[in-house]
């Protein structure tokens, strides 16, 4: 892999990471607002939906972390 290829790959990873973090932040802020509402917590359907959303967000963040970790390992960096 050339130095230019590494640069473009790193830039793509940073861009994707920033986008993922922004989306996760917005989603978690919305979930937090819902969880502050007693009516939401009393409704099992809504509660289960929020728990599923949190699980999906956590999975996406874990996948992104794995991708970045693999990239760093290929470049010989420790993460």
């Amino acid at each position: 892999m050339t130095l230019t290829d590494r640069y473009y790959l790193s830039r793509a990873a940073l861009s994707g990471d920033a986008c993922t973090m922004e989306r996760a932040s917005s989603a978690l802020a919305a979930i937090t607002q819902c969880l502050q509402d007693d009516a939401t917590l009393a409704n099992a359907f809504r509660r289960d939906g929020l728990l599923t959303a949190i699980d999906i967000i956590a999975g996406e963040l874990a996948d992104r972390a794995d991708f970045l970790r693999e990239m760093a390992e290929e470049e010989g960096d420790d993460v």
Side-chain angles (χ1 to χ4, degrees):
M1 181 181 292
T2 69
L3 188 57
T4 302
D5 291 337
R6 286 185 182 185
Y7 170 77
Y8 286 130
L9 191 57
S10 293
R11 293 296 298 163
L14 288 175
S15 177
D17 191 41
C19 181
T20 299
M21 293 297 157
E22 183 178 6
R23 292 178 63 219
S25 174
S26 295
L28 289 174
I31 291 169
T32 299
Q33 284 185 345
C34 290
L35 290 174
Q36 292 171 342
D37 180 19
D38 291 334
T40 298
L41 293 178
N43 183 308
F45 176 74
R46 289 180 184 169
R47 186 181 58 247
D48 290 345
L50 292 172
L51 291 172
T52 300
I54 290 170
D55 190 46
I56 291 169
I57 293 167
E60 288 295 318
L61 293 174
D63 289 348
R64 191 71 194 167
D66 289 342
F67 172 75
L68 294 172
R69 190 173 293 112
E70 288 173 12
M71 277 188 44
E73 288 172 359
E74 287 177 7
E75 292 182 10
D77 298 336
D78 290 326
V79 176

